[in-house]
């Protein structure tokens, strides 16, 4: 009998259903059965057969492959592609600013201020050049509460001629300067005991104007292959309108030569100063007061380099001759410096012990304080023009970089000087017969032995190409000898500046100066003895802004003493208030 496929499946399902039904029947007794094992299990291992290394294969895949022959049917394809020749990519070049050889500056401001400069330079040929500079600064005064004329002017003209050659270079200088100032600094209580008319007559009879004239000629030489490495010569003639005259000659050649593979440099100094004052302060002299010194010094030194150490060993020996008193003195000074790179250029430790003989002059004093009286001490006070014996300056510090664009320098020093020149106010009275500088409106020079402990530091930062910042501070502690105070020397000086390029055309800057309190002394000899006077500390805030119209023409606006503080730089000498100057600078070539 034949069953089809569907019938077979149906029969299988019926049988499985019946089995399950019987297996799940409850209470069914399947009975029990006992099984007896008559033989233990003994497994056996069949013999192992080694598989052949090359098995016999018998399939169609091992049949010999047929050789296939093929060929390429090539035909041309039309194309219009044409490759270009390679070339380097162009780079935009930054146009370099043209450097002009000459410039002119003119500024005009309140108080009748005129500030002018002119610099010219011309190459005569490939080696030689000639140049000159003119400078002028003047003001009509205008200082508040001043009873005397407060105007001043300062005019200078410098000419130079020089040359640069393969083996040497030289420069010749010729200069003239004319300065005019007024002794306007009368004491605040001046004429307080007089009736107003007598006081006005006394003040009107004072002619406070005085002038200085400076004539100089000098030269500098440098040699590439010679024992004489360089040399400088300078002659200065200085005079005032009260019969004072001074001549100074300075020669400073420098030699260098080898000693046992070490380069030894030797600087020679010849410094002469001589002059005269027509009167002493009280006009008690019968002859002009003369002074003169000749100083000759030799300063050999050589440098030792080892690892990160740099050691400069040197000394200075000077002979000073007091010409008027026929007296000579020998001075010996240390001139040793050392530096150690602690962390490359990031931190450099340095130290030194240096000393020198420094010649003073009337011309130098007048440049610092133009309100000096044109007199000098007599044989009793002995306040002549004389050199300062700078015995030693022991210092140590750290310098380096806080970052690639921030540098710093920290320094501590202890300085010992003999015959240190100090400016001190002159004592006075109110006699109508006095000279114009004898009313408490002039200064004298006194000498003292001075020890100075100082701490200083500065930071310079270039925050970007357009922003620069600088900060410098000095803190001093003075110990005097015979004098009561270190007259007119501040204990604190701080200076800061910030310059910013706002755009390619506009720029600006700010400068801040702080000078701490100073001490002076002045006496009206008709009254009680003199006492020390404290000059208050002061701020001086200055700012400027400029506009570059072109690479040739720049305009600027300057403001000085913005706080309008009439502080006293010297006793009884208040300064001008806020000063505004508007001007322009023009660059050009011939």
């Amino acid at each position: 009998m034949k069953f089809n496929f569907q019938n077979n499946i149906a029969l299988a399902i019926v049988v499985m259903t019946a089995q399950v039904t019987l297996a799940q029947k409850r209470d069914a007794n399947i009975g029990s059965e006992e099984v007896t094992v008559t033989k233990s299990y003994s497994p056996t291992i069949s013999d192992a057969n080694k598989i052949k290394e090359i098995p016999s294969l018998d399939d169609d895949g091992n049949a010999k492959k047929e050789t296939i022959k093929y060929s390429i049917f090539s035909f041309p394809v039309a194309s219009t592609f044409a490759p270009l020749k390679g070339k380097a990519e162009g780079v935009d070049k930054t146009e370099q600013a043209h450097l002009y050889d000459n410039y002119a500056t003119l500024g005009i401001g309140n108080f009748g201020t005129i500030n002018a400069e002119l610099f010219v330079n011309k190459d005569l040929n490939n080696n030689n050049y000639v140049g000159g500079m003119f400078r002028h600064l003047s003001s009509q005064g205008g200082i508040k509460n001043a009873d005397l004329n407060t105007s001043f002017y300062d005019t200078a003209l410098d000419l130079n001629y020089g040359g640069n050659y393969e083996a040497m270079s030289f420069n010749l200088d010729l200069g003239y300067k004319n300065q005019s100032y007024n002794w306007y600094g009368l004491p605040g209580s001046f004429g307080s005991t007089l009736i107003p008319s007598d006081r006005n007559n006394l003040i009107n009879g004072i002619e406070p104007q005085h002038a200085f004239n400076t004539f100089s000629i000098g030269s500098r030489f440098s040699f590439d292959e010679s024992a004489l490495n360089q040399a400088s010569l300078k002659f200065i003639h200085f005079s005032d309108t009260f019969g004072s005259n001074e001549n100074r000659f300075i020669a400073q050649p420098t030699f260098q030569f080898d000693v046992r593979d070490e380069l030894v440099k030797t600087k020679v100094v010849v410094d002469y100063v001589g002059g005269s004052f027509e009167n002493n302060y009280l006009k008690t002299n019968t002859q002009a007061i003369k002074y003169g010194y000749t100083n000759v010094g030799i300063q050999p030194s050589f440098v030792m380099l080892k690892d990160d150490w740099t050691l400069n060993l040197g000394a200075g020996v000077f002979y000073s001759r007091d010409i008027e008193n026929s007296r000579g003195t020998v001075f010996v000074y240390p001139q040793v410096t050392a530096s150690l790179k602690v962390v490359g250029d990031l931190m450099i430790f340095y130290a030194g012990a240096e000393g020198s003989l420094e010649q003073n002059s009337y011309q130098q004093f007048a440049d610092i304080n133009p309100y000096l009286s044109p007199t000098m001490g007599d044989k009793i006070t002995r306040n002549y023009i004389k050199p300062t014996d700078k015995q030693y300056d022991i210092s140590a510090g750290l310098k380096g970089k806080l970052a690639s664009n921030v540098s710093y320098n920290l320094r501590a020093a202890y300085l010992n000087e003999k015959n240190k020149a100090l400016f001190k106010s002159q004592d006075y009275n109110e006699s109508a017969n006095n000279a114009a500088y004898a009313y408490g409106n002039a200064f004298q020079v006194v000498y003292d032995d001075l020890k100075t402990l100082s701490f200083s530091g500065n930071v310079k930062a270039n925050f970007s190409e357009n922003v620069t910042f600088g900060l410098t501070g000095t803190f001093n502690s003075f110990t005097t000898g015979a004098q009561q105070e270190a007259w007119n020397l501040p204990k604190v000086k701080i200076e800061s500046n910030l310059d910013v390029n706002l755009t390619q055309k506009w720029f600006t800057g700010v400068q801040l100066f702080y000078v701490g309190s100073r001490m002076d002394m002045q006496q009206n000899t008709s009254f009680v003895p003199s006492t020390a006077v404290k000059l208050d500390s002061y701020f001086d805030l200055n700012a400027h802004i400029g506009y570059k119209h072109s690479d040739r023409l720049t305009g600027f606006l300057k403001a000085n003493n913005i706080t309008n503080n009439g502080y006293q730089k010297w006793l009884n000498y208040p300064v001008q208030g806020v000063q505004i100057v508007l001007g322009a600078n023009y660059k050009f070539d011939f």
Side-chain angles (χ1 to χ4, degrees):
M1 181 180 298
K2 296 183 179 178
F3 294 94
N4 57 23
F5 181 73
Q6 289 84 0
N7 293 334
N8 290 339
I9 294 176
L11 181 60
I13 293 173
V14 172
V15 174
M16 291 175 64
T17 303
Q19 291 178 348
V20 172
T21 302
L22 293 175
Q24 298 298 325
K25 185 178 180 180
R26 294 183 177 180
D27 300 330
N29 189 359
I30 62 175
S32 61
E33 185 73 19
E34 183 179 352
V35 179
T36 302
V37 178
T38 59
K39 186 178 179 181
S40 62
Y41 176 69
S42 298
T44 60
I45 299 175
S46 301
D47 295 336
N49 297 320
K50 182 179 179 181
I51 298 176
K52 295 181 179 180
E53 293 182 359
I54 302 176
S56 59
L57 298 177
D58 187 12
D59 56 22
D60 296 338
N62 293 321
K64 184 178 180 180
K65 295 182 179 180
E66 298 180 359
T67 302
I68 301 175
K69 296 182 180 181
Y70 62 90
S71 63
I72 297 175
F73 177 67
S74 176
F75 61 92
V77 177
S79 175
T80 59
F81 173 75
L84 297 177
K85 295 182 179 179
K87 63 179 181 178
E89 182 67 22
V91 178
D92 294 335
K93 295 182 179 179
T94 303
E95 184 178 357
Q96 295 183 354
H98 178 72
L99 300 178
Y100 294 93
D101 293 332
N102 317 285
Y103 73 86
T105 301
L106 177 62
I108 300 176
N110 60 336
F111 301 110
T113 300
I114 298 177
N115 188 0
E117 287 187 10
L118 174 64
F119 175 79
V120 293
N121 185 73
K122 180 65 175 178
D123 291 332
L124 301 178
N125 50 46
N126 292 334
N127 302 107
N128 299 96
Y129 61 89
V130 64
M133 180 138 188
F134 170 80
R135 296 185 300 271
H136 175 83
L137 175 63
S138 63
S139 174
Q140 299 306 310
I143 296 177
K144 293 182 179 180
N145 303 321
D147 294 317
L148 298 175
N149 186 359
T150 60
S151 64
F152 71 91
Y153 71 80
D154 188 333
T155 303
L157 176 63
D158 295 290
L159 304 174
N160 63 80
Y161 170 76
N164 296 299
Y165 298 88
E166 292 184 0
M168 62 91 67
S169 61
F170 72 93
N171 189 79
L172 305 177
D173 299 311
L174 181 65
Y176 175 74
K177 181 164 63 174
N178 178 243
Q179 301 165 282
S180 177
Y181 297 92
N182 284 278
W183 287 298
Y184 66 87
L186 296 176
S189 60
F190 184 81
S192 59
T193 61
L194 303 176
I195 62 175
S197 59
D198 289 343
R199 181 181 184 275
N200 291 335
N201 291 334
L202 179 59
I203 291 176
N204 292 334
I206 300 174
E207 297 181 359
Q209 187 176 23
H210 61 288
F212 303 113
N213 293 283
T214 307
F215 172 80
S216 63
I217 184 172
S219 62
R220 293 183 298 274
F221 298 88
S222 296
F223 304 92
D224 291 339
E225 298 179 359
S226 174
L228 177 60
N229 180 248
Q230 59 184 9
S232 63
L233 303 171
K234 190 167 188 178
F235 171 78
I236 304 172
H237 176 74
F238 183 75
S239 62
D240 62 27
T241 50
F242 286 80
S244 306
N245 289 276
E246 180 182 80
N247 294 314
R248 189 174 185 184
F249 175 77
I250 305 172
Q252 294 183 335
T254 301
F255 301 89
Q256 64 179 22
F257 46 88
D258 294 327
V259 176
R260 294 184 179 180
D261 297 330
E262 295 290 345
L263 182 63
V264 178
K265 288 188 175 182
T266 302
K267 182 178 180 181
V268 178
V269 178
V270 178
D271 192 343
Y272 164 81
V273 63
S276 64
F277 295 91
E278 190 172 289
N279 297 299
N280 63 15
Y281 186 68
L282 300 176
K283 291 187 176 181
T284 59
N285 59 304
T286 58
Q287 296 180 344
I289 299 174
K290 297 182 179 180
Y291 60 92
Y293 277 87
T294 299
N295 304 320
V296 179
I298 182 171
Q299 299 169 292
S301 65
F302 68 95
V303 178
M304 296 178 61
L305 302 175
K306 185 176 181 181
D307 298 331
D308 292 329
W309 279 97
T310 300
L311 182 63
N312 191 337
L313 297 176
V317 180
F318 284 81
Y319 174 77
S320 180
R321 179 74 176 175
D322 183 350
I323 298 174
E324 294 299 321
N325 296 295
S326 301
R327 183 173 51 199
T329 308
V330 176
F331 301 89
V332 180
Y333 301 102
Q335 294 180 352
V336 179
T337 60
S339 64
L340 171 64
K341 291 184 177 181
V342 180
V343 187
D345 293 333
L346 301 179
M347 180 181 293
I348 300 175
F349 170 79
Y350 64 91
E354 300 175 280
S356 182
L357 186 68
E358 298 181 351
Q359 179 61 59
N360 298 306
S361 70
Y362 182 35
Q363 179 257 333
Q364 289 178 332
F365 290 154
D367 280 347
I368 299 173
N369 186 344
Y371 307 110
L372 289 175
S373 63
T375 62
M376 197 46 58
D378 52 28
K379 291 185 178 180
I380 297 176
T381 60
R382 300 188 64 82
N383 289 335
Y384 304 108
I385 299 291
K386 53 186 175 182
T388 295
D389 177 15
K390 185 178 177 182
Q391 293 190 322
Y392 53 82
D393 182 2
I394 300 175
S395 63
L398 288 174
K399 63 181 180 180
K401 294 182 177 181
L402 298 175
S404 60
N405 57 346
V406 180
S407 62
Y408 68 93
N409 189 356
L410 303 175
R411 183 178 185 269
Y414 182 74
L415 176 61
N416 186 16
E417 298 173 285
K418 287 191 174 182
N419 292 327
K420 172 68 175 179
L422 304 171
F423 296 108
K424 181 175 175 289
S425 295
Q426 293 274 21
D427 295 338
Y428 70 101
N429 58 45
E430 297 174 359
S431 172
N433 297 322
N434 287 346
Y437 50 80
Y439 292 100
N441 54 344
F443 295 82
Q444 61 179 312
V445 174
V446 297
Y447 294 89
D448 196 16
D449 296 342
L450 184 68
K451 296 180 176 63
T452 306
L453 177 63
S454 69
F455 299 92
S456 62
N458 68 70
V459 176
K460 295 181 180 180
N462 296 326
F463 296 114
S464 67
E465 295 181 356
N466 298 318
V467 181
T468 60
F469 171 79
L471 176 63
T472 301
T474 304
F475 306 88
N476 299 315
S477 175
F478 303 108
T479 302
T480 58
Q483 297 295 322
Q484 182 178 341
E485 298 282 350
W487 307 118
N488 282 292
L489 293 182
K491 294 182 179 180
V492 179
K493 292 182 68 175
I494 298 175
E495 177 181 348
S496 179
N497 67 278
L498 176 66
D499 293 292
V500 180
N501 292 326
L502 301 174
T503 65
Q504 291 183 350
K505 294 288 187 179
W506 289 94
F507 61 91
T508 186
V510 178
Q511 300 85 35
L512 174 65
F513 302 91
Y514 172 79
V515 178
S517 59
R518 292 133 291 137
M519 302 300 295
D520 204 336
M521 179 179 285
Q522 190 173 61
Q523 177 188 3
N524 185 335
T525 56
S526 301
F527 300 100
V528 297
S530 59
T531 57
V533 180
K534 182 180 179 180
L535 280 76
D536 294 333
S537 60
Y538 64 85
F539 283 96
D540 195 334
L541 178 62
N542 307 321
H544 68 271
I545 187 170
Y547 175 74
K548 296 179 181 179
H549 179 266
S550 65
D551 59 344
R552 290 178 178 268
L553 182 62
T554 300
F556 62 85
L557 177 67
K558 294 182 179 180
N560 297 330
N561 195 12
I562 296 176
T563 58
N564 200 28
N565 180 13
Y567 60 84
Q568 295 185 20
K569 183 177 180 180
W570 304 101
L571 181 63
N572 303 324
Y573 278 88
V575 301
Q576 294 174 333
V578 59
Q579 306 144 38
I580 305 295
V581 176
L582 178 65
N585 174 274
Y586 182 74
K587 304 173 185 178
F588 59 95
D589 288 330
F590 287 125

